[in-house]
């Protein structure tokens, strides 16, 4: 993070790179390289994140499913009424955050307006950031935007629940990342395939992640699900 008031979170970049590696690996998602993008550290500015929607995800097709992973400082899902959380970008200025934080509602607006894909899963692993300047208007609050959105989009969110820092011990921070992401990758690798049909659907993935994060965290953290996962296609067949 550029701002001195925002402590760096090396494990957030570790988690993003681990997921990127899984999506690209032949033994993982086996996605083409041009269909996977990671914005970490100094690349994860508010402007670059918005451009990823308007300049890159715009190339998706209606039948595609988009998976977005967000990790770092913010306000976890459910903490901000009707907004689903706030994400602090690399260049967020806590004293003047208006243009440099992103509401999850802004993500929804960008998806509806700029992204042809109609099915989206957002995975969030956020920890509470520092207090912003008193009285500051935070972010481009898309909840106040009255522009019409595409009602055909189907969006679900799986968040890590309570603070990310409660999901790991200090020795894990730089090398292993969060328990949430480890549980995600285990699920995607087939451990969540409870009916043994060769694929992990989104319900199976969420159940595996919730159970394992809850079991492995010291305070019994329970990930949260927003939106309907039933009937959504799997991220990738485990038999691929």
């Amino acid at each position: 993070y550029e701002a001195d008031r925002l402590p760096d979170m090396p494990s957030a970049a570790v988690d993003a790179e681990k997921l990127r590696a899984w999506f690209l690996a032949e033994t993982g998602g086996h996605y083409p390289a041009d269909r996977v993008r990671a914005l970490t550290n100094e690349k994860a500015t508010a402007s670059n994140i918005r451009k990823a929607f308007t300049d890159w995800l715009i190339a998706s097709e209606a039948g595609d499913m988009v998976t977005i992973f967000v990790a770092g400082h913010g306000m976890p899902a459910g903490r901000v009424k009707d907004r689903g959380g706030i994400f602090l970008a690399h260049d967020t200025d806590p004293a003047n955050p208006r243009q440099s934080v992103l509401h999850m509602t802004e993500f929804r607006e960008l998806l509806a307006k700029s992204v042809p894909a109609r099915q989206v899963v957002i995975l969030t692993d956020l920890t509470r950031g520092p207090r912003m300047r008193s009285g500051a208007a935070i972010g481009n609050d898309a909840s106040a935007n009255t522009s019409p959105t595409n009602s055909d989009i189907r969006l679900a969110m799986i968040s890590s629940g309570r603070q990310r820092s409660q999901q790991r011990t200090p020795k894990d921070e730089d090398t292993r990342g969060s328990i949430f992401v480890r549980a995600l990758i285990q699920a995607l690798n087939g451990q969540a395939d409870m009916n043994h049909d060769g694929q992990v659907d989104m319900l199976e993935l969420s159940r595996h992640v919730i159970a394992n994060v809850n079991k492995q965290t010291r305070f019994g953290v329970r990930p949260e699900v927003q939106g309907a996962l039933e009937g959504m296609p799997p991220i990738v067949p485990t038999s691929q």
Side-chain angles (χ1 to χ4, degrees):
Y1 287 91
E2 287 183 355
D4 292 338
R5 285 182 57 194
L6 295 176
D8 288 339
M9 295 182 63
S11 63
V14 169
D15 284 336
E17 290 299 335
K18 283 181 178 293
L19 281 171
R20 177 180 178 274
W22 182 88
F23 276 105
L24 294 173
E26 289 187 14
T27 55
H30 203 191
Y31 278 61
D34 63 355
R35 297 179 72 86
V36 180
R37 178 169 294 187
L39 297 174
T40 58
N41 299 324
E42 67 277 358
K43 295 180 181 178
T45 63
S47 175
N48 283 346
I49 293 168
R50 292 181 179 115
K51 285 180 180 178
F53 287 88
T54 59
D55 297 353
W56 181 61
L57 285 175
I58 196 171
S60 66
E61 299 179 357
D64 292 337
M65 186 168 91
V66 171
T67 304
I68 299 170
F69 172 69
V70 182
H73 291 299
M75 191 171 288
R79 295 283 186 172
V80 182
K81 186 177 179 180
D82 298 329
R83 294 178 182 174
I86 293 173
F87 174 61
L88 279 60
H90 171 77
D91 56 344
T92 293
D93 179 0
N96 185 26
R98 179 178 291 273
Q99 298 298 326
S100 55
V101 300
L102 296 103
H103 292 280
M104 287 301 163
T105 45
E106 183 178 358
F107 279 33
R108 295 185 180 99
E109 290 287 327
L110 288 166
L111 286 165
K113 292 179 179 179
S114 304
V115 180
R118 297 295 87 199
Q119 300 188 95
V120 181
V121 172
I122 301 178
L123 310 169
T124 70
D125 196 4
L126 302 177
T127 189
R128 180 178 290 277
R131 184 181 297 274
M132 297 295 179
R133 178 172 61 83
S134 178
I138 299 180
N140 298 323
D141 186 358
S143 64
N145 192 327
T146 58
S147 300
T149 60
N150 192 325
S151 60
D152 291 339
I153 193 167
R154 185 173 184 184
L155 174 66
M157 182 185 299
I158 304 175
S159 63
S160 58
R162 292 168 62 186
Q163 291 193 17
R164 175 186 173 85
S165 59
Q166 295 176 343
Q167 296 185 31
R168 60 178 189 274
T169 58
K171 67 180 180 180
D172 288 332
E173 182 173 343
D174 293 335
T175 59
R176 297 189 66 193
S178 72
I179 291 172
F180 178 70
V181 168
R182 281 185 303 223
L184 279 172
I185 292 176
Q186 290 169 356
L188 291 167
N189 279 334
Q191 291 188 30
D193 184 15
M194 299 305 295
N195 61 3
H196 307 291
D197 64 351
Q199 61 186 17
V200 175
D201 63 41
M202 296 307 302
L203 274 177
E204 289 174 323
L205 183 143
S206 66
R207 289 167 180 165
H208 178 93
V209 169
I210 289 170
N212 280 269
V213 170
N214 184 257
K215 180 179 179 180
Q216 295 180 45
T217 48
R218 32 182 126 148
F219 300 110
V221 175
R222 184 176 176 83
E224 301 164 357
V225 175
Q226 298 180 27
L229 295 177
E230 189 172 2
M232 293 192 79
I235 292 177
V236 67
T238 58
S239 57
Q240 179 169 313

